[in-house]
């Protein structure tokens, strides 16, 4: 028997959707958007060709790729592309896009389209979309589901976004322990298909209390007469619906899990977690840290209207303005000194700047260590000493460099010496605060990444000006 | 038949190793480290108890947890704990820890210990450790392997760290297409165990050319008489060994893959990728972006000796110092103006500071969008206009606030107006450069995250001082 070689092989080059091409086609069609929406024929044959080409590309796309395309397009083009995509995948795409983009897509759909989109979704997926859907749509979508599914949607919606209960799914294959593997294999054949990512089957008793798991890897290699009880694994990583999703994701990462059971307080099996959700959690978590450190409140639609972006960013800018004002008043207090030695005005930003840079290095390291679970209370003192050691070395080296430069530039040894001292002291301050800010935030139950960059810069700016101008006033005037 | 309830259930609380307790025990044992290493009895019964307790805890730990513990401990304690851990898991632990920590562990082992540690590892795992091992150890470890494994190690080592070839594994289960599922099931039973994460079986022809894959999910539900050719999936995501691992990880994330085949240019099956490796790639990639933005060159051992940390950080500090020096010279050029209106010295950091903060918000968004594959060449202009719109709004709002404050503080309407203008212009500069720096870095084939925070601050500092002092000199003097 001869086989054809793997024909529609998808390698990386073919995988990445051609966003530029889609953008180009969509842009050329924007002027006739109204006709397209009404389903009217386009008079211009070139535009007709573009429309046909665009639809062909979009209908080939995997929902996850469609999501990337939509996130990469400006608002008007996004809506056009969304309307032209394959409607049967609308639900999947809505699940894949980020929340701000999802809102823009849902706004562009009417009730019938939304109902059709969510019709095929599992209970946990419907629950995920529900907060973004109009109430009427959620209500009607639920009315077509059976009692059990409605209960599942309600259960999933009762948990916060960062709890395991909100992202677990309900597609469970479970068996009893007192049957043979032969029976299990026959039982599985009665399914049309097994849930995604099924790498283990859950073993429960008559009350659905979890007894262990039967890894498929084992099921496939053992003698079919073996009893499940004899080969099931009972040292299982289980989660509770109220567990934190980031901790669950860390457990998936550490123990290389593909799926894991979720049980209630009585160990009754109620759902499962899958690695694909956990990958999303890990990605989002690392990104949230990055955005938070820079003082962005939350994930932002790249093409959000200007005013939405302003809203997402104003808070940290306002905080930054307050801290800058404080720094400004510190300088203001030394206006007399600056009037006498105007060189101080030119040199002071160097002291503040290097403190901010070094403090950001320290705080980034600590925030990362905390995210990885490497920081415990006892380590803080040790790290503080180490970071201060690094600061001392850097301060003496770079402080001396700048001290010599300042000396040569302004012909004053005194200014040079003040420079060395101020830079060293400000680096020590940066190291100390760089360790203490995230530790304190964590102790207070706050996210240590949140605006940490703005906070450390505030301290090293005001502190740097105070130290430098203070020392200059004492020793040079 | 009655079953015992899931006894050694591991929930999140039990999962996280008690690092504080281990740290405490290890610290108390440090004074008698020499005796412990020589295997001598400890005279003090309390220390003996601590030793027994510590060993008991460590031998219970999963290798991945042991890795976290080791990364969380200061150097001396780390070596002690490492010596007391279960030696049969040394290889796994070495694979789990970060590279700088791995180096400290390998330094603490002699040749015999290293050989024992790597003995159980698969070819791809040995290849991963090889660059950190002494040459003699690699040579001897290879000499005990068979021809095929040696070739695999050599193949894996011939790829760069960021190529798929370096992280693929060689544990393949492959079948022909012209057999029935019944035959496949019987064939699988001949294995002792299936490779980790086996969610699909690779279908190849006589020359090992990939024809498709047979998902286990399908194999378990179909009639055993079905031919593999009739149910295999031939629309498969495949990778080549020279593909970029980050792109591969993105494909795993988008298409919710658990494993995927790696083929050579002739489509011959040579290895596979598994989701657990991809999760690590995603985590490391996001972290590298975060560290790079802050100007840290690479992952740093939290407890690295001070001089190692200094080396890891000196470059960006030096760059920062140069840019700060430029900013200082900009101010120096306006010393005459500052002498006349000393208030300028106090107000100028506000203009520079808000520019830096806002620029960091913009650049973080762009770097993130690039990492997610959402940025293509054509979008840059659009985003530039949007970011400048945000900057204009923020500049007028916050500039006016600070303008009024400056006016009231110094009783000069002129200073207030210069403040409004300077803040607006510096925010526009921050937005423009915040988009252009990562786009230009990307065009030049550089990592857009690398030191971006330092670069943007350099521009907004020098630019802010120039704009503010320049406007003041023109309009106020």
């Amino acid at each position: 028997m001869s086989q054809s070689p793997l024909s529609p092989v998808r390698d990386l080059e073919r995988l990445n959707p051609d966003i530029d091409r889609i953008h180009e086609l969509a842009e050329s069609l924007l002027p006739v958007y109204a006709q397209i929406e009404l389903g009217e024929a386009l008079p211009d044959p070139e535009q007709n060709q573009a429309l046909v080409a665009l639809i062909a590309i979009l209908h080939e796309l995997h929902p996850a790729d469609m999501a990337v395309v939509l996130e990469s397009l400006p608002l008007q083009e996004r809506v056009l592309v969304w309307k032209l995509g394959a409607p049967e995948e609308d639900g999947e795409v809505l699940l894949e896009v980020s929340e701000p983009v999802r809102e823009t897509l849902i706004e562009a759909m009417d009730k019938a389209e939304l109902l059709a989109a969510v019709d095929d979704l599992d209970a946990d997926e419907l629950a995920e979309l529900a907060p973004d859907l109009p109430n009427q749509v959620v209500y009607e979508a639920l009315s077509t589901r059976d009692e059990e599914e409605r209960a599942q949607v309600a259960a999933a919606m009762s948990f916060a976004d960062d709890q395991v209960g909100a992202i677990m799914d309900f597609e469970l294959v479970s068996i009893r322990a007192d049957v043979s593997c032969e029976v299990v294999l026959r039982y599985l054949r009665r399914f049309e298909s097994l849930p995604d990512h099924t790498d283990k089957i859950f073993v429960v008793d008559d009350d659905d209390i979890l007894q262990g798991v039967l890894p498929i890897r084992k099921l496939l290699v053992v003698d079919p007469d073996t009893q499940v009880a004899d080969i099931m694994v009972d040292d299982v990583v289980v989660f509770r619906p109220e567990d934190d999703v980031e901790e669950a994701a860390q457990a998936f990462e550490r123990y290389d899990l593909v799926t894991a059971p979720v049980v209630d307080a009585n160990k009754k099996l109620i759902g499962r977690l899958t690695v694909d959700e956990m990958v999303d959690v890990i990605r989002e978590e690392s990104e949230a840290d990055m955005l938070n450190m820079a003082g962005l409140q939350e994930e932002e639609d790249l093409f959000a209207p200007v005013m939405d972006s302003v809203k997402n960013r104003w808070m940290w800018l306002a905080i930054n303005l307050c801290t800058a004002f404080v720094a400004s008043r510190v300088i203001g207090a030394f206006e007399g000194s600056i009037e006498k030695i105007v060189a101080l005005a030119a040199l002071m930003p160097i002291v503040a700047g290097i403190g901010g840079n070094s403090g950001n290095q320290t705080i980034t390291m600590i925030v990362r260590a905390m995210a990885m679970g490497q920081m415990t209370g006892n380590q803080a003192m040790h790290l503080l000493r180490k970071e201060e050691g690094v600061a001392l070395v850097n301060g003496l080296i770079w402080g001396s460099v700048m001290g010599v430069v300042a000396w040569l530039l302004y012909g004053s040894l005194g200014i040079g010496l003040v420079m060395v001292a101020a830079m060293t002291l400000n680096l020590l301050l940066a190291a100390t605060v760089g360790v203490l800010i995230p530790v304190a935030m964590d102790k207070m139950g706050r996210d240590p990444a949140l605006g940490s960059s703005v906070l450390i810069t505030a301290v090293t700016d005001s502190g740097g000006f105070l130290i430098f101008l203070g020392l200059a006033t004492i020793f040079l005037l």
Side-chain angles (χ1 to χ4, degrees), chain A:
Chain A
M1 187 179 156
S2 94
Q3 278 113 28
S4 66
L6 199 64
S7 49
V9 63
R10 304 167 72 183
D11 52 25
L12 276 179
E13 267 155 57
R14 270 209 45 210
L15 282 177
N16 290 325
D18 190 349
I19 296 175
D20 281 341
R21 174 95 180 113
I22 294 171
H23 170 60
E24 205 179 283
L25 290 169
E27 204 172 24
S28 76
L29 289 169
L30 275 185
V32 288
Y33 177 74
Q35 285 96 309
I36 294 175
E37 219 196 350
L38 292 169
E40 285 173 11
L42 303 182
D44 181 349
E46 246 179 61
Q47 284 178 330
N48 239 319
Q49 267 178 350
L51 181 62
V52 172
L54 182 56
I55 290 176
I57 295 175
L58 296 178
H59 282 240
E60 276 278 289
L61 287 181
H62 186 284
D65 290 328
M66 182 69 168
V68 175
V69 168
L70 291 168
E71 292 185 342
S72 311
L73 291 177
L75 213 54
Q76 287 181 297
E77 292 174 34
R78 183 186 295 163
V79 172
L80 174 69
V81 164
W82 180 230
K83 295 271 176 199
L84 296 177
E88 64 274 17
E89 287 182 342
D90 280 0
E92 290 297 324
V93 177
L94 284 177
L95 285 169
E96 293 281 348
V97 292
S98 68
E99 241 177 78
V101 173
R102 184 187 293 164
E103 282 169 25
T104 65
L105 300 179
I106 288 177
E107 260 173 43
M109 298 168 81
D110 61 29
K111 204 177 84 176
E113 286 171 324
L114 282 170
L115 279 172
V118 302
D119 193 45
D120 289 335
L121 299 183
D122 292 331
D124 61 304
E125 296 171 332
L126 178 57
E128 192 184 332
L129 288 188
D132 298 325
L133 295 171
N135 286 337
Q136 186 62 22
V137 171
V138 177
Y139 181 76
E140 291 192 27
L142 281 176
S143 68
T144 64
R145 311 253 167 166
D146 63 25
E147 192 71 35
E148 190 191 358
E149 274 197 297
R150 278 207 293 271
Q152 287 171 346
V153 175
M157 288 184 67
S158 70
F159 292 100
D161 278 353
D162 61 353
Q163 288 186 312
V164 161
I167 57 167
M168 67 181 178
D169 72 42
F170 303 98
E171 299 180 88
L172 297 170
V173 180
S174 58
I175 52 171
R176 302 276 178 274
D178 58 351
V179 296
S180 71
C181 289
E182 175 70 46
V183 172
V184 175
L185 288 169
R186 256 191 288 129
Y187 172 66
L188 293 180
R189 251 173 243 134
R190 285 200 277 159
F191 283 79
E192 283 255 317
S193 71
L194 296 182
D196 279 340
H197 295 96
T198 299
D199 71 325
K200 52 177 72 87
I201 297 170
F202 303 110
V203 184
V204 296
D205 69 9
D206 293 339
D207 300 318
D208 271 348
I209 306 299
L210 188 68
Q211 307 288 309
V213 299
L214 174 60
I216 299 284
R217 295 169 57 205
K218 272 196 173 179
L219 175 66
L220 286 171
V221 298
V222 295
D223 182 334
D225 293 332
T226 318
Q227 289 289 109
V228 168
D230 293 336
I231 58 160
M232 74 177 189
V233 178
D234 58 6
D235 183 14
V236 187
V237 182
V238 302
F239 298 94
R240 304 200 193 292
E242 59 277 5
D243 282 342
D244 182 78
V245 289
E246 291 189 9
E247 285 179 41
Q250 232 165 43
F252 265 72
E253 195 179 342
R254 282 195 201 165
Y255 309 118
D256 296 344
L257 304 174
V258 174
T259 66
V262 180
V263 299
D264 69 10
N266 301 318
K267 300 213 169 82
K268 187 175 159 185
L269 181 65
I270 52 177
R272 61 166 198 156
L273 289 179
T274 55
V275 67
D276 55 320
E277 290 279 359
M278 293 297 129
V279 170
D280 294 344
V281 169
I282 290 171
R283 169 76 76 184
E284 279 161 24
E285 179 198 344
S286 318
E287 270 176 11
D289 279 351
M290 192 164 140
L291 296 178
N292 283 338
M293 286 192 75
L296 291 159
Q297 286 196 278
E298 52 181 55
E299 210 176 2
E300 188 175 310
D301 179 356
L302 209 50
F303 298 95
V306 167
M307 287 319 291
D308 286 9
S309 292
V310 169
K311 268 186 235 157
N312 190 27
R313 305 185 197 173
W314 79 270
M315 201 187 72
W316 282 107
L317 282 180
I319 292 176
N320 178 261
L321 217 54
C322 293
T323 66
F325 181 72
V326 171
S328 165
R329 294 322 301 148
V330 169
I331 299 171
F334 291 97
E335 272 173 11
S337 310
I338 294 173
E339 261 175 342
K340 285 183 195 120
I341 313 176
V342 75
L344 297 182
L347 292 173
M348 65 188 184
I350 298 180
V351 177
I354 196 152
N357 187 271
S358 176
N360 263 307
Q361 290 181 337
T362 299
I363 210 166
T364 303
M365 269 210 48
I366 304 286
V367 166
R368 177 186 157 274
M370 284 182 162
M372 303 294 286
Q374 291 171 6
M375 279 285 290
T376 63
N378 283 329
Q379 324 295 60
M381 278 310 295
H382 189 104
L383 283 173
L384 193 58
R385 280 196 303 273
K386 181 205 141 185
E387 288 299 316
E388 285 176 347
V390 175
L392 191 63
V393 174
N394 275 328
L396 291 175
I397 295 176
W398 301 113
S400 300
V401 170
M402 288 317 294
V404 170
V405 170
W407 178 18
L408 296 177
L409 210 56
Y410 293 99
S412 153
L413 178 61
I415 283 189
L417 290 175
V418 165
M419 199 71 191
V420 181
M423 279 179 67
T424 306
L425 288 175
N426 200 30
L427 284 176
L428 284 171
L429 175 67
T432 309
V433 180
V435 174
L436 293 185
I437 285 180
V439 169
M441 296 277 259
D442 195 50
K443 280 251 163 73
M444 294 189 302
R446 305 270 304 273
D447 180 352
L450 202 59
S452 54
S453 181
V454 176
L455 290 179
I456 187 93
T457 309
V459 174
T460 52
D461 273 1
S462 289
F465 295 141
L466 181 64
I467 292 169
F468 178 67
L469 296 175
L471 288 177
T473 305
I474 295 171
F475 293 109
L476 303 180
L477 293 177

